[in-house]
Amino acid sequence: MARDEEILDLIELLLAAEIFNQNQNLDINDLTPIAREVYGVQSMEGERGPVVVSESALQKVLGIPDAHLRLEKHPLTVYEEFGHRLRITTLPAGFNWFIKHNGEKRIRKNPVLAWYAEKNNLLSDISHSASRDINPRFEDSRVSLDRRISKMLADDEKLRAGLDLIIISAPEEVEQTLDDIICTSDQVQRILKLKVALENLEFLRAHQVFDIGKLLFIGPPGTGKTSLAFALTRVFHMPILEVRLPMVTSQYLGETSKNIDRIFEVARSLSPCILFIDEFDFLAKSRIGDDHGAMKRAVNALLKNIDRIGLIRNNVLLVGATNHPQLLDEAAWRRFDEVIPFDLPDLATRQLILERLLQGFSSGCDVSAVARETDGYSGADLKMVVREAILTALIDSRTQLTNEDLTTGQNLIKNRDASRNKNCQG
Ligand code: ADP
């Protein structure tokens, strides 16, 4: 059985290579991630040459040694000793063989094969675009990001200094998805607007509509600002550059504003990307009443850099987040195209967040009661309640939660807040 699957793995790769080579309209995002690795396709730029399936790549990526021996009796494949490569001999017959030998499920998940089947009416209800949608995009991968970083450094080695000031994640490395976050309808509308803008960049450029894509998320801690910024990486297929604030501010004269320049230079060079600055107020504190020259210079550097980037102009989506909007410098505030509020969740939102967090755990719980009892809790607080409830159940060797477990979780938050208040009062 395992051997049959192995043969199907190999034939799938050979078929897709043949189809890919014969059709220049297919691109890297039509290849499955494994095919990209086996064929060694690691770039979206330029004319693409033919891909080959070598025995060494099959061994390295799939761990299948001596693939040609496994396919020895397969009439529709050929092994070229010179170069140790495998090929399919006739595409239509090979494809038919694949369909007859249980390959249909694989065809639906492989965009190159789905494209061929759709074009030639070989399977009912087959959709090339649906198959593309379920495969991770190349531009979401770490491999793609690393290539972009190397290219950036090859063009300008000085930008290396900026890399120490940020943490860069490829979309595939980001855990948060939009499905995990309960957004308000206002937030959903604003994300939709950005999506439409990104799909119509040329049009907006031509009509000089530039004031899009500088967002400020404001609201109390734990209301999903960071989570949403990260989730956008997967929605827009852009890496996220997260500013490491402690590294940016320096006691040395002028160094903070230089660091701000460095960060924005990296963002412009690596674009398209999301530049995320959490605790934005820390860098853009109001200058009023502050006669500290270095701080003023830093705010000025920030303002100048914000003016020089944009989603429409240079594909950088700026997301600032702050728990203290009132501290923000007025000029910095005005530079954002959209200020998006993140409030503490109301009853209905708490219910939705709890339902999401409790998926698969909560058959016996009164979720509405917990939602009613948690007025004033943030999304992060609710997450902690659920985490505590799950641990309580697990200690008790249960994998389903009860109302009591959730009460234990709520008590934890109440005690935590009580001890904080006590300590704050001295
Ligand atoms: P902030 O950046 O506003 O301080 P975070 O995004 O770090 O908040 O949120 C902390 C945690 O709380 C996240 O892990 C997230 O899962 C959860 N959370 C907060 N708000 C929501 C929400 N609206 N829906 C789902 N989860 C949320």
Side-chain angles (χ1 to χ4, degrees):
M1 185 61 196
R3 225 181 139 75
D4 286 350
E5 287 299 311
E6 231 170 57
I7 300 282
L8 283 178
D9 282 344
L10 294 172
I11 302 286
E12 179 176 347
L13 283 162
L14 297 185
L15 283 172
E18 193 63 30
I19 298 167
F20 192 68
N21 286 340
Q22 288 181 15
N23 297 281
Q24 281 292 326
N25 57 317
L26 297 172
D27 64 37
I28 194 167
N29 281 328
D30 289 303
L31 300 176
T32 60
I34 291 217
R36 285 172 208 155
E37 247 188 281
V38 172
Y39 307 158
V41 179
Q42 296 197 331
S43 164
M44 300 190 71
E45 289 130 39
E47 283 274 300
R48 63 174 174 84
V51 297
V52 295
V53 182
S54 72
E55 217 167 33
S56 57
L58 290 170
Q59 162 126 33
K60 192 166 141 232
V61 180
L62 297 183
I64 302 179
D66 300 322
H68 79 280
L69 294 179
R70 292 170 202 239
L71 292 176
E72 215 169 25
K73 295 203 183 70
H74 202 282
L76 300 166
T77 61
V78 62
Y79 179 57
E80 296 168 351
E81 297 263 356
F82 182 73
H84 306 280
R85 293 166 179 177
L86 286 146
R87 248 188 336 103
I88 211 94
T89 46
T90 64
L91 185 51
F95 210 90
N96 253 333
W97 180 95
F98 197 63
I99 293 178
K100 284 207 187 98
H101 289 80
N102 257 337
E104 182 172 334
K105 251 201 204 142
R106 290 162 174 263
I107 295 171
R108 292 189 185 279
K109 289 193 212 148
N110 184 321
V112 171
L113 302 187
W115 177 83
Y116 184 84
E118 188 177 344
K119 186 168 84 105
N120 296 295
N121 280 323
L122 298 175
L123 289 173
S124 58
D125 293 334
I126 184 88
S127 157
H128 169 232
S129 69
S131 169
R132 251 176 92 106
D133 285 349
I134 55 171
N135 270 279
R137 294 206 198 179
F138 178 68
E139 59 266 39
D140 287 1
S141 67
R142 184 74 214 184
V143 178
S144 161
L145 177 59
D146 284 341
R147 284 184 72 90
R148 280 162 64 184
I149 295 174
S150 308
K151 187 169 175 301
M152 177 186 83
L153 292 176
D155 290 346
D156 186 355
E157 173 62 28
K158 284 206 301 293
L159 292 175
R160 192 177 288 281
L163 290 179
D164 294 336
L165 307 168
I166 49 184
I167 299 167
I168 310 182
S169 311
E172 73 171 8
E173 297 172 306
V174 168
E175 267 179 31
Q176 290 93 338
T177 68
L178 209 49
D179 287 344
D180 298 330
I181 307 166
I182 307 298
C183 294
T184 61
S185 55
D186 171 56
Q187 290 162 353
V188 172
Q189 282 308 316
R190 303 210 204 204
I191 296 167
L192 265 178
K193 253 197 310 190
L194 283 175
K195 233 178 149 179
V196 170
L198 278 167
E199 284 160 7
N200 294 282
L201 278 182
E202 288 311 321
F203 179 86
L204 293 167
R205 268 181 209 139
H207 290 81
Q208 307 207 340
V209 181
F210 292 125
D211 300 334
I212 298 173
K214 291 175 194 173
L215 315 179
L216 182 64
F217 292 178
I218 62 169
T223 46
K225 299 183 292 299
T226 310
S227 305
L228 185 60
F230 273 82
L232 291 181
T233 60
R234 283 165 168 266
V235 179
F236 298 141
H237 305 287
M238 294 175 179
I240 185 163
L241 281 53
E242 187 188 7
V243 174
R244 300 167 72 187
L245 267 191
M247 305 289 288
V248 178
T249 47
S250 161
Q251 73 269 41
Y252 297 113
L253 201 64
E255 202 55 24
T256 303
S257 41
K258 270 195 209 139
N259 282 343
I260 291 173
D261 287 344
R262 288 177 181 131
I263 289 168
F264 279 79
E265 260 173 62
V266 171
R268 280 193 299 270
S269 308
L270 264 190
S271 68
C273 65
I274 298 174
L275 176 60
F276 176 54
I277 310 181
D278 200 4
E279 297 182 60
F280 191 81
D281 51 279
F282 194 77
L283 282 184
K285 269 205 191 69
S286 171
R287 290 169 293 181
I288 303 161
D290 172 21
D291 55 7
H292 195 288
M295 190 67 214
K296 269 187 202 161
R297 265 204 302 280
V299 177
N300 283 335
L302 188 65
L303 298 181
K304 184 191 76 197
N305 277 296
I306 294 179
D307 286 339
R308 289 186 55 211
I309 58 150
L311 189 61
I312 311 298
R313 275 207 178 86
N314 45 21
N315 272 312
V316 180
L317 174 66
L318 173 69
V319 182
T322 175
N323 303 335
H324 309 288
Q326 73 285 0
L327 297 182
L328 222 65
D329 176 80
E330 176 61 30
W333 176 269
R334 271 191 277 111
R335 275 170 169 79
F336 286 97
D337 305 313
E338 311 242 0
V339 175
I340 306 184
F342 285 68
D343 297 323
L344 287 174
D346 60 13
L347 176 63
T349 312
R350 291 200 299 279
Q351 168 105 16
L352 288 172
I353 295 177
L354 283 165
E355 279 167 8
R356 189 65 50 93
L357 291 169
L358 286 165
Q359 252 167 21
F361 288 111
S362 65
S363 49
C365 304
D366 186 352
V367 178
S368 330
V370 184
R372 278 195 304 277
E373 288 159 14
T374 46
D375 188 24
Y377 283 44
S378 68
D381 293 335
L382 295 174
K383 196 171 178 183
M384 214 179 290
V385 168
V386 171
R387 184 202 63 197
E388 199 56 23
I390 292 172
L391 289 175
T392 310
L394 285 178
I395 287 172
D396 219 10
S397 306
R398 286 176 288 111
T399 52
Q400 287 296 312
L401 304 189
T402 62
N403 288 335
E404 288 72 43
D405 297 328
L406 287 163
T407 309
T408 310
Q410 277 165 254
N411 287 338
L412 174 91
I413 298 279
K414 282 181 198 148
N415 291 340
R416 199 189 53 156
D417 287 350
S419 58
R420 178 167 171 230
N421 289 340
K422 204 168 97 199
N423 283 327
C424 287
Q425 281 155 16

mmCIF file of all heavy atoms in Angstrom, residues 169-194:
data_model
loop_
_atom_site.group_PDB
_atom_site.id
_atom_site.type_symbol
_atom_site.label_atom_id
_atom_site.label_comp_id
_atom_site.label_asym_id
_atom_site.label_seq_id
_atom_site.Cartn_x
_atom_site.Cartn_y
_atom_site.Cartn_z
ATOM 1 N N SER A 169 8.482 38.159 9.750
ATOM 2 C CA SER A 169 7.851 36.840 9.627
ATOM 3 C C SER A 169 7.174 36.716 8.268
ATOM 4 O O SER A 169 6.515 37.656 7.804
ATOM 5 C CB SER A 169 6.778 36.629 10.700
ATOM 6 O OG SER A 169 7.277 36.967 11.962
ATOM 7 N N ALA A 170 7.337 35.564 7.665
ATOM 8 C CA ALA A 170 6.632 35.258 6.417
ATOM 9 C C ALA A 170 5.200 34.870 6.778
ATOM 10 O O ALA A 170 4.961 34.336 7.867
ATOM 11 C CB ALA A 170 7.321 34.107 5.702
ATOM 12 N N PRO A 171 4.233 35.126 5.876
ATOM 13 C CA PRO A 171 2.852 34.761 6.198
ATOM 14 C C PRO A 171 2.703 33.311 6.673
ATOM 15 O O PRO A 171 1.953 33.042 7.605
ATOM 16 C CB PRO A 171 2.120 34.985 4.875
ATOM 17 C CG PRO A 171 2.887 36.088 4.223
ATOM 18 C CD PRO A 171 4.324 35.851 4.584
ATOM 19 N N GLU A 172 3.458 32.377 6.078
ATOM 20 C CA GLU A 172 3.285 30.976 6.486
ATOM 21 C C GLU A 172 3.764 30.733 7.930
ATOM 22 O O GLU A 172 3.411 29.734 8.532
ATOM 23 C CB GLU A 172 3.998 30.025 5.519
ATOM 24 C CG GLU A 172 5.501 30.028 5.623
ATOM 25 C CD GLU A 172 6.187 28.920 4.806
ATOM 26 O OE1 GLU A 172 5.508 28.233 4.032
ATOM 27 O OE2 GLU A 172 7.418 28.766 4.954
ATOM 28 N N GLU A 173 4.540 31.646 8.463
ATOM 29 C CA GLU A 173 5.034 31.470 9.839
ATOM 30 C C GLU A 173 4.103 32.095 10.873
ATOM 31 O O GLU A 173 4.314 31.948 12.069
ATOM 32 C CB GLU A 173 6.407 32.132 9.978
ATOM 33 C CG GLU A 173 7.460 31.520 9.102
ATOM 34 C CD GLU A 173 8.757 32.322 9.115
ATOM 35 O OE1 GLU A 173 8.714 33.537 8.847
ATOM 36 O OE2 GLU A 173 9.796 31.732 9.409
ATOM 37 N N VAL A 174 3.106 32.835 10.398
ATOM 38 C CA VAL A 174 2.217 33.547 11.319
ATOM 39 C C VAL A 174 1.052 32.647 11.695
ATOM 40 O O VAL A 174 0.393 32.079 10.825
ATOM 41 C CB VAL A 174 1.704 34.844 10.638
ATOM 42 C CG1 VAL A 174 0.574 35.463 11.427
ATOM 43 C CG2 VAL A 174 2.848 35.825 10.488
ATOM 44 N N GLU A 175 0.841 32.480 12.997
ATOM 45 C CA GLU A 175 -0.214 31.553 13.444
ATOM 46 C C GLU A 175 -1.614 32.146 13.297
ATOM 47 O O GLU A 175 -2.553 31.452 12.934
ATOM 48 C CB GLU A 175 0.005 31.220 14.915
ATOM 49 C CG GLU A 175 0.827 29.962 15.114
ATOM 50 C CD GLU A 175 1.041 29.687 16.574
ATOM 51 O OE1 GLU A 175 0.158 30.036 17.379
ATOM 52 O OE2 GLU A 175 2.103 29.140 16.907
ATOM 53 N N GLN A 176 -1.743 33.430 13.621
ATOM 54 C CA GLN A 176 -3.075 34.043 13.641
ATOM 55 C C GLN A 176 -3.714 34.037 12.260
ATOM 56 O O GLN A 176 -3.057 34.392 11.280
ATOM 57 C CB GLN A 176 -2.999 35.503 14.109
ATOM 58 C CG GLN A 176 -2.656 35.682 15.551
ATOM 59 C CD GLN A 176 -1.162 35.857 15.745
ATOM 60 O OE1 GLN A 176 -0.356 35.461 14.918
ATOM 61 N NE2 GLN A 176 -0.785 36.449 16.855
ATOM 62 N N THR A 177 -4.959 33.652 12.207
ATOM 63 C CA THR A 177 -5.704 33.818 10.955
ATOM 64 C C THR A 177 -6.897 34.726 11.258
ATOM 65 O O THR A 177 -7.296 34.880 12.414
ATOM 66 C CB THR A 177 -6.250 32.485 10.414
ATOM 67 O OG1 THR A 177 -7.268 32.033 11.304
ATOM 68 C CG2 THR A 177 -5.160 31.443 10.303
ATOM 69 N N LEU A 178 -7.456 35.276 10.195
ATOM 70 C CA LEU A 178 -8.593 36.176 10.374
ATOM 71 C C LEU A 178 -9.762 35.426 11.018
ATOM 72 O O LEU A 178 -10.550 36.009 11.775
ATOM 73 C CB LEU A 178 -8.993 36.740 9.004
ATOM 74 C CG LEU A 178 -9.621 38.114 8.996
ATOM 75 C CD1 LEU A 178 -8.823 39.102 9.812
ATOM 76 C CD2 LEU A 178 -9.768 38.611 7.566
ATOM 77 N N ASP A 179 -9.859 34.123 10.738
ATOM 78 C CA ASP A 179 -10.948 33.319 11.318
ATOM 79 C C ASP A 179 -10.872 33.249 12.844
ATOM 80 O O ASP A 179 -11.872 33.018 13.512
ATOM 81 C CB ASP A 179 -10.900 31.882 10.780
ATOM 82 C CG ASP A 179 -11.367 31.829 9.347
ATOM 83 O OD1 ASP A 179 -11.986 32.824 8.908
ATOM 84 O OD2 ASP A 179 -11.102 30.827 8.672
ATOM 85 N N ASP A 180 -9.668 33.410 13.389
ATOM 86 C CA ASP A 180 -9.508 33.295 14.849
ATOM 87 C C ASP A 180 -9.982 34.549 15.568
ATOM 88 O O ASP A 180 -10.168 34.537 16.781
ATOM 89 C CB ASP A 180 -8.024 33.105 15.226
ATOM 90 C CG ASP A 180 -7.451 31.837 14.641
ATOM 91 O OD1 ASP A 180 -8.219 30.882 14.476
ATOM 92 O OD2 ASP A 180 -6.240 31.819 14.345
ATOM 93 N N ILE A 181 -10.108 35.643 14.837
ATOM 94 C CA ILE A 181 -10.391 36.916 15.503
ATOM 95 C C ILE A 181 -11.830 37.336 15.219
ATOM 96 O O ILE A 181 -12.269 37.315 14.067
ATOM 97 C CB ILE A 181 -9.448 38.028 14.965
ATOM 98 C CG1 ILE A 181 -8.000 37.537 15.072
ATOM 99 C CG2 ILE A 181 -9.624 39.319 15.739
ATOM 100 C CD1 ILE A 181 -7.043 38.371 14.275
ATOM 101 N N ILE A 182 -12.521 37.709 16.276
ATOM 102 C CA ILE A 182 -13.882 38.219 16.079
ATOM 103 C C ILE A 182 -13.748 39.719 15.832
ATOM 104 O O ILE A 182 -13.369 40.468 16.734
ATOM 105 C CB ILE A 182 -14.759 37.963 17.329
ATOM 106 C CG1 ILE A 182 -14.706 36.479 17.728
ATOM 107 C CG2 ILE A 182 -16.186 38.443 17.094
ATOM 108 C CD1 ILE A 182 -15.233 35.516 16.695
ATOM 109 N N CYS A 183 -14.030 40.123 14.609
ATOM 110 C CA CYS A 183 -13.868 41.538 14.242
ATOM 111 C C CYS A 183 -15.223 42.228 14.300
ATOM 112 O O CYS A 183 -16.259 41.604 14.055
ATOM 113 C CB CYS A 183 -13.331 41.651 12.832
ATOM 114 S SG CYS A 183 -11.676 41.015 12.650
ATOM 115 N N THR A 184 -15.217 43.517 14.557
ATOM 116 C CA THR A 184 -16.457 44.291 14.461
ATOM 117 C C THR A 184 -16.751 44.488 12.968
ATOM 118 O O THR A 184 -15.842 44.352 12.130
ATOM 119 C CB THR A 184 -16.301 45.677 15.115
ATOM 120 O OG1 THR A 184 -15.267 46.373 14.407
ATOM 121 C CG2 THR A 184 -15.910 45.567 16.567
ATOM 122 N N SER A 185 -17.998 44.850 12.656
ATOM 123 C CA SER A 185 -18.313 45.013 11.232
ATOM 124 C C SER A 185 -17.522 46.188 10.661
ATOM 125 O O SER A 185 -17.115 46.168 9.491
ATOM 126 C CB SER A 185 -19.813 45.193 11.016
ATOM 127 O OG SER A 185 -20.259 46.258 11.794
ATOM 128 N N ASP A 186 -17.246 47.184 11.490
ATOM 129 C CA ASP A 186 -16.420 48.310 11.051
ATOM 130 C C ASP A 186 -15.020 47.820 10.659
ATOM 131 O O ASP A 186 -14.487 48.180 9.605
ATOM 132 C CB ASP A 186 -16.336 49.323 12.209
ATOM 133 C CG ASP A 186 -15.338 50.425 11.932
ATOM 134 O OD1 ASP A 186 -15.493 51.082 10.897
ATOM 135 O OD2 ASP A 186 -14.402 50.615 12.737
ATOM 136 N N GLN A 187 -14.440 46.949 11.487
ATOM 137 C CA GLN A 187 -13.097 46.437 11.170
ATOM 138 C C GLN A 187 -13.126 45.621 9.875
ATOM 139 O O GLN A 187 -12.244 45.756 9.020
ATOM 140 C CB GLN A 187 -12.564 45.585 12.334
ATOM 141 C CG GLN A 187 -12.217 46.419 13.557
ATOM 142 C CD GLN A 187 -12.112 45.577 14.827
ATOM 143 O OE1 GLN A 187 -12.410 44.381 14.846
ATOM 144 N NE2 GLN A 187 -11.698 46.206 15.905
ATOM 145 N N VAL A 188 -14.166 44.794 9.720
ATOM 146 C CA VAL A 188 -14.274 43.974 8.511
ATOM 147 C C VAL A 188 -14.363 44.868 7.272
ATOM 148 O O VAL A 188 -13.683 44.627 6.265
ATOM 149 C CB VAL A 188 -15.511 43.044 8.591
ATOM 150 C CG1 VAL A 188 -15.746 42.330 7.271
ATOM 151 C CG2 VAL A 188 -15.359 42.041 9.726
ATOM 152 N N GLN A 189 -15.173 45.926 7.364
ATOM 153 C CA GLN A 189 -15.316 46.846 6.235
ATOM 154 C C GLN A 189 -13.982 47.465 5.852
ATOM 155 O O GLN A 189 -13.641 47.592 4.680
ATOM 156 C CB GLN A 189 -16.286 47.988 6.602
ATOM 157 C CG GLN A 189 -17.749 47.605 6.543
ATOM 158 C CD GLN A 189 -18.111 46.961 5.217
ATOM 159 O OE1 GLN A 189 -17.710 47.441 4.172
ATOM 160 N NE2 GLN A 189 -18.842 45.854 5.266
ATOM 161 N N ARG A 190 -13.201 47.840 6.855
ATOM 162 C CA ARG A 190 -11.929 48.507 6.564
ATOM 163 C C ARG A 190 -10.928 47.532 5.946
ATOM 164 O O ARG A 190 -10.128 47.909 5.094
ATOM 165 C CB ARG A 190 -11.367 49.108 7.845
ATOM 166 C CG ARG A 190 -12.387 50.081 8.443
ATOM 167 C CD ARG A 190 -11.685 51.133 9.168
ATOM 168 N NE ARG A 190 -12.520 51.730 10.180
ATOM 169 C CZ ARG A 190 -12.296 52.957 10.620
ATOM 170 N NH1 ARG A 190 -11.320 53.663 10.153
ATOM 171 N NH2 ARG A 190 -13.068 53.458 11.567
ATOM 172 N N ILE A 191 -10.973 46.274 6.367
ATOM 173 C CA ILE A 191 -10.078 45.278 5.757
ATOM 174 C C ILE A 191 -10.484 45.066 4.296
ATOM 175 O O ILE A 191 -9.648 44.986 3.400
ATOM 176 C CB ILE A 191 -10.136 43.940 6.529
ATOM 177 C CG1 ILE A 191 -9.617 44.140 7.954
ATOM 178 C CG2 ILE A 191 -9.319 42.864 5.832
ATOM 179 C CD1 ILE A 191 -9.904 42.989 8.877
ATOM 180 N N LEU A 192 -11.790 45.016 4.078
ATOM 181 C CA LEU A 192 -12.292 44.844 2.705
ATOM 182 C C LEU A 192 -11.831 45.974 1.798
ATOM 183 O O LEU A 192 -11.417 45.762 0.663
ATOM 184 C CB LEU A 192 -13.817 44.826 2.720
ATOM 185 C CG LEU A 192 -14.472 43.452 2.780
ATOM 186 C CD1 LEU A 192 -15.978 43.595 2.842
ATOM 187 C CD2 LEU A 192 -14.052 42.622 1.570
ATOM 188 N N LYS A 193 -11.887 47.197 2.358
ATOM 189 C CA LYS A 193 -11.459 48.370 1.589
ATOM 190 C C LYS A 193 -9.994 48.235 1.162
ATOM 191 O O LYS A 193 -9.636 48.518 0.025
ATOM 192 C CB LYS A 193 -11.620 49.630 2.448
ATOM 193 C CG LYS A 193 -12.772 50.487 2.024
ATOM 194 C CD LYS A 193 -12.720 51.905 2.571
ATOM 195 C CE LYS A 193 -12.484 52.031 4.044
ATOM 196 N NZ LYS A 193 -12.655 53.364 4.598
ATOM 197 N N LEU A 194 -9.168 47.777 2.101
ATOM 198 C CA LEU A 194 -7.749 47.618 1.786
ATOM 199 C C LEU A 194 -7.544 46.557 0.712
ATOM 200 O O LEU A 194 -6.714 46.695 -0.179
ATOM 201 C CB LEU A 194 -6.983 47.183 3.041
ATOM 202 C CG LEU A 194 -6.702 48.251 4.072
ATOM 203 C CD1 LEU A 194 -6.052 47.630 5.284
ATOM 204 C CD2 LEU A 194 -5.759 49.301 3.470
#
